Amino acid sequence: MISAQGKKSTTLSEQLSIKLAELVPGGVNSPFRSFEEVGGHTIFLRSAKGSKVFDVDGNSYLDYLGAWGPAILGHCHPAVIEACQKALACGPVFGAPCELELEFAQLLTQAIPSLEQVRFVNSGAEAVMTSIRLARGATGRDKIILFEGCYHGHSDPTLASRKHSVSSGIPHSYAQNGLLVAFNNLEALEKCLQEHRNEIACAIIEPVPGSMGVIAPEPGYLQGVRKLCTTYGVVLIFDEVLSGFRVAFGGAQGIYGVRPDLTCYGKAIAGGMPVGVYGGSKELMSHLMPTGKVYQAGTFSGNPVTMAGGIATIKELMKPVVFASLEVLSSRFFEGIQSQIDRLGVPVRLQRAGSLFAIVFAPRPVKNYSDSLLIDKHAYAKFFHSLLQNGIYMVPSAIDAACISAAHTKEEIDYTIEKIELALRSSFH
Ligand code: PMP
C-alpha cells in the first residue's frame, strides 16, 4: 500500500491508519488519540491485559496511557471482566432501573462524603455538562468560572470562554458566560467574583489539573477557592473525572480536605466501561427532573454492564492492599525517574499526583497554563518515540497525564526507568 506521502507502508497499523482516515476524520474517534503532536502513524491495538497492550502487528507495549485514565487496576481485571460478562448475559440495557444502580450508588455515596446523591451518565463530558446546567438551574444565573488550562471534556459551555476559543462551532454568545481565571491564583478568582457578583452560577475546576502537566494546587489554594465560592454564593464543582481515585481513593477532595458542592467522576471508576457520574447534596440534586426542573436524560445512563464494572472496580480499590501496592509501585517509579533526571541534569520535571504523572520538558515547574506554554513538544516527541521503540507506550502528548496501574510489576517499572534514561538522552540530541 502507498500512503499519501508516496511512502511504502510497512506495518499493518500504518495501513489501517490510512484506511481509517478515509472513513473517520483524521483516523481517530477522539483527537487526543492522533499522533499529531508526536508525529508518525497511530498504533492500532488489538487487545490489552494487565499492564500491557498488544498491537495488530504482534508487538506488545508496557502501557502508561492507561486508556487516558480508566485502567487503574490494569486492563481486563478478572473481577471486572467477570462482573461485566455476567451483567451482559442478563441484558446490556433495560431503560428501567436495575439493582446494580442502587449498589453502585450506595458504594459511591458511602465512599465519598460530598456525595449524598449521584446521577450516572455515560462520559465525563456529560457529567460536567449536566453539573453546570444543574448549577445554573439551581442559582438562576448564567455565568460560569473556568480555570485556564483545566480540561472538562467536549461540551460547549466548557470550551467557550472570553479569552480562549478552543473550538469553532460554538456560538460567540456562549463565550460571554465563560469567565476564565488563572489556576493557583486566588486573587484572580476573587477579582472575577467581585466583578460579576450575583451573576455567577458556578466555578468548575480540576482540583489537580491533568491536561497541562499534572499540577498540584498550591498549599491552601483549593481551601481558598472553597471559601470564596461560599462567600459569593457560587456553586463549586470539582471535576474529578481524571483525578478521581487516581490522586487518592475518592479523589483530590479527600486529601485536600475540601468539600465541593458538586463533583464529576468518570474514567477510573468503572474498570474501562463508558461512564460518568455527578453528585452532591440532596438539596442541589433535587433540582434535577423529575423532582426538579433541570433536565438530564440518557438511554444508556446507569446501564447494568457499566454499573457492574463500576461496582467491581470500586470494591477492588477499597481493598487496602490495592491502593497500598499502587502507592509502592508509583513511589518506586517516580523516584527512579527523578534520579535519572537529576543524574542527567536535563531540563525535565516529573510532576506527579498519586498514580497520575507527567514528564514535562520545561525549564521550570509547571504551575499554571502560562508555564505549560514553555513545554518543549519537540523534545517530548523524541522521548515518546524512543520509549515506543523499546516497547513502552507513553501518552502521545507533551502535556497530558500518563498513568500507572496496580497491574504493573516492579520488574516492569525498573525496565521502564532504564529505558527512560535512554529516551531522555535521545531527546536532547
Ligand atoms: N474532565 C476531565 C478532567 C478529563 O480529563 C476528561 C477527559 N480527558 C473529561 C472531563 C471528559 O471525559 P470523557 O472523555 O469521558 O467525556
Side-chain angles (χ1 to χ4, degrees), residues 35-57:
F35 277 12
E36 205 174 6
E37 196 178 301
V38 290
H41 62 82
T42 48
I43 293 184
F44 273 58
L45 299 180
R46 189 164 277 162
S47 65
K49 178 80 188 145
S51 58
K52 297 203 180 88
V53 292
F54 303 90
D55 76 9
V56 290
D57 288 289

Short mmCIF file of all heavy atoms in Angstrom, two decimals, residues 35-57:
data_model
loop_
_atom_site.label_atom_id
_atom_site.label_comp_id
_atom_site.label_asym_id
_atom_site.label_seq_id
_atom_site.Cartn_x
_atom_site.Cartn_y
_atom_site.Cartn_z
N PHE A 35 -1.52 10.94 16.56
CA PHE A 35 -0.13 11.19 16.92
C PHE A 35 0.34 12.52 16.32
O PHE A 35 1.50 12.70 16.01
CB PHE A 35 0.76 10.04 16.40
CG PHE A 35 0.81 8.84 17.31
CD1 PHE A 35 -0.08 8.69 18.36
CD2 PHE A 35 1.76 7.84 17.12
CE1 PHE A 35 -0.04 7.56 19.19
CE2 PHE A 35 1.81 6.72 17.94
CZ PHE A 35 0.90 6.58 18.97
N GLU A 36 -0.62 13.43 16.17
CA GLU A 36 -0.30 14.71 15.54
C GLU A 36 0.86 15.42 16.24
O GLU A 36 1.75 15.95 15.61
CB GLU A 36 -1.55 15.59 15.60
CG GLU A 36 -1.54 16.62 14.50
CD GLU A 36 -2.83 17.41 14.46
OE1 GLU A 36 -3.68 17.26 15.36
OE2 GLU A 36 -2.96 18.19 13.52
N GLU A 37 0.83 15.37 17.56
CA GLU A 37 1.85 16.11 18.31
C GLU A 37 3.21 15.42 18.29
O GLU A 37 4.24 16.08 18.22
CB GLU A 37 1.37 16.28 19.74
CG GLU A 37 2.13 17.33 20.48
CD GLU A 37 1.60 17.53 21.89
OE1 GLU A 37 0.41 17.86 22.05
OE2 GLU A 37 2.40 17.33 22.82
N VAL A 38 3.21 14.10 18.34
CA VAL A 38 4.50 13.39 18.42
C VAL A 38 4.97 12.90 17.05
O VAL A 38 6.12 12.47 16.90
CB VAL A 38 4.41 12.20 19.40
CG1 VAL A 38 4.29 12.70 20.83
CG2 VAL A 38 3.29 11.25 19.06
N GLY A 39 4.10 12.93 16.06
CA GLY A 39 4.48 12.50 14.71
C GLY A 39 4.34 11.00 14.53
O GLY A 39 4.24 10.24 15.51
N GLY A 40 4.30 10.58 13.28
CA GLY A 40 4.17 9.14 13.00
C GLY A 40 2.71 8.74 12.91
O GLY A 40 1.80 9.55 13.12
N HIS A 41 2.49 7.47 12.57
CA HIS A 41 1.10 7.00 12.45
C HIS A 41 0.66 6.37 13.76
O HIS A 41 1.49 5.92 14.57
CB HIS A 41 1.00 5.98 11.30
CG HIS A 41 1.83 4.76 11.54
ND1 HIS A 41 1.40 3.72 12.32
CD2 HIS A 41 3.08 4.45 11.13
CE1 HIS A 41 2.34 2.80 12.38
NE2 HIS A 41 3.37 3.21 11.67
N THR A 42 -0.63 6.34 13.95
CA THR A 42 -1.15 5.76 15.20
C THR A 42 -0.93 4.25 15.21
O THR A 42 -0.78 3.63 14.16
CB THR A 42 -2.66 6.03 15.34
OG1 THR A 42 -3.29 5.68 14.10
CG2 THR A 42 -2.95 7.47 15.66
N ILE A 43 -0.94 3.71 16.39
CA ILE A 43 -0.77 2.26 16.53
C ILE A 43 -2.14 1.65 16.81
O ILE A 43 -2.86 2.12 17.71
CB ILE A 43 0.22 1.97 17.66
CG1 ILE A 43 1.58 2.49 17.20
CG2 ILE A 43 0.27 0.50 18.02
CD1 ILE A 43 2.69 2.24 18.09
N PHE A 44 -2.49 0.67 16.03
CA PHE A 44 -3.79 0.01 16.23
C PHE A 44 -3.63 -1.10 17.26
O PHE A 44 -2.81 -2.01 17.08
CB PHE A 44 -4.29 -0.57 14.90
CG PHE A 44 -5.06 0.43 14.09
CD1 PHE A 44 -4.48 1.63 13.71
CD2 PHE A 44 -6.38 0.18 13.73
CE1 PHE A 44 -5.20 2.57 12.97
CE2 PHE A 44 -7.10 1.11 12.99
CZ PHE A 44 -6.52 2.30 12.61
N LEU A 45 -4.43 -1.02 18.28
CA LEU A 45 -4.33 -2.04 19.33
C LEU A 45 -5.40 -3.11 19.12
O LEU A 45 -6.50 -2.83 18.62
CB LEU A 45 -4.49 -1.39 20.70
CG LEU A 45 -3.42 -0.35 21.05
CD1 LEU A 45 -3.66 0.22 22.44
CD2 LEU A 45 -2.01 -0.95 20.99
N ARG A 46 -5.03 -4.31 19.49
CA ARG A 46 -6.00 -5.41 19.33
C ARG A 46 -6.49 -5.91 20.68
O ARG A 46 -7.64 -6.32 20.83
CB ARG A 46 -5.32 -6.54 18.55
CG ARG A 46 -6.28 -7.62 18.14
CD ARG A 46 -5.70 -8.52 17.07
NE ARG A 46 -5.83 -7.97 15.74
CZ ARG A 46 -5.11 -8.41 14.70
NH1 ARG A 46 -4.18 -9.34 14.87
NH2 ARG A 46 -5.29 -7.88 13.50
N SER A 47 -5.60 -5.87 21.66
CA SER A 47 -6.04 -6.33 22.98
C SER A 47 -5.16 -5.71 24.06
O SER A 47 -4.13 -5.09 23.77
CB SER A 47 -5.99 -7.85 23.05
OG SER A 47 -4.65 -8.29 22.94
N ALA A 48 -5.60 -5.91 25.29
CA ALA A 48 -4.86 -5.36 26.42
C ALA A 48 -5.08 -6.29 27.61
O ALA A 48 -6.17 -6.83 27.78
CB ALA A 48 -5.37 -3.96 26.74
N LYS A 49 -4.04 -6.44 28.41
CA LYS A 49 -4.19 -7.29 29.60
C LYS A 49 -3.23 -6.78 30.68
O LYS A 49 -2.03 -6.62 30.40
CB LYS A 49 -3.85 -8.75 29.19
CG LYS A 49 -3.92 -9.75 30.31
CD LYS A 49 -5.36 -10.17 30.59
CE LYS A 49 -5.42 -11.03 31.84
NZ LYS A 49 -6.63 -10.83 32.63
N GLY A 50 -3.74 -6.53 31.85
CA GLY A 50 -2.88 -6.06 32.95
C GLY A 50 -2.17 -4.77 32.58
O GLY A 50 -2.78 -3.78 32.21
N SER A 51 -0.84 -4.80 32.61
CA SER A 51 -0.05 -3.59 32.35
C SER A 51 0.33 -3.45 30.89
O SER A 51 1.09 -2.55 30.54
CB SER A 51 1.24 -3.67 33.17
OG SER A 51 1.93 -4.85 32.80
N LYS A 52 -0.16 -4.35 30.05
CA LYS A 52 0.32 -4.35 28.66
C LYS A 52 -0.80 -4.14 27.65
O LYS A 52 -1.95 -4.51 27.88
CB LYS A 52 0.97 -5.70 28.34
CG LYS A 52 2.21 -5.98 29.18
CD LYS A 52 3.10 -6.99 28.46
CE LYS A 52 4.35 -7.29 29.24
NZ LYS A 52 4.19 -8.38 30.20
N VAL A 53 -0.40 -3.56 26.49
CA VAL A 53 -1.31 -3.50 25.34
C VAL A 53 -0.62 -4.19 24.16
O VAL A 53 0.62 -4.21 24.08
CB VAL A 53 -1.71 -2.05 24.98
CG1 VAL A 53 -2.57 -1.43 26.05
CG2 VAL A 53 -0.48 -1.17 24.71
N PHE A 54 -1.41 -4.76 23.26
CA PHE A 54 -0.88 -5.56 22.16
C PHE A 54 -1.40 -4.99 20.84
O PHE A 54 -2.60 -4.77 20.69
CB PHE A 54 -1.33 -7.02 22.32
CG PHE A 54 -0.90 -7.60 23.64
CD1 PHE A 54 -1.74 -7.50 24.75
CD2 PHE A 54 0.34 -8.21 23.79
CE1 PHE A 54 -1.35 -8.01 25.99
CE2 PHE A 54 0.74 -8.72 25.03
CZ PHE A 54 -0.11 -8.61 26.13
N ASP A 55 -0.49 -4.78 19.88
CA ASP A 55 -0.94 -4.17 18.63
C ASP A 55 -1.20 -5.21 17.56
O ASP A 55 -0.95 -6.42 17.73
CB ASP A 55 0.02 -3.05 18.19
CG ASP A 55 1.32 -3.55 17.58
OD1 ASP A 55 1.45 -4.76 17.33
OD2 ASP A 55 2.20 -2.71 17.33
N VAL A 56 -1.71 -4.72 16.43
CA VAL A 56 -2.12 -5.62 15.34
C VAL A 56 -0.92 -6.24 14.62
O VAL A 56 -1.07 -7.17 13.83
CB VAL A 56 -3.00 -4.88 14.30
CG1 VAL A 56 -4.36 -4.54 14.88
CG2 VAL A 56 -2.31 -3.62 13.78
N ASP A 57 0.29 -5.69 14.88
CA ASP A 57 1.49 -6.24 14.22
C ASP A 57 2.22 -7.24 15.11
O ASP A 57 3.35 -7.64 14.79
CB ASP A 57 2.43 -5.09 13.85
CG ASP A 57 1.87 -4.28 12.69
OD1 ASP A 57 1.84 -4.79 11.57
OD2 ASP A 57 1.42 -3.14 12.93
#
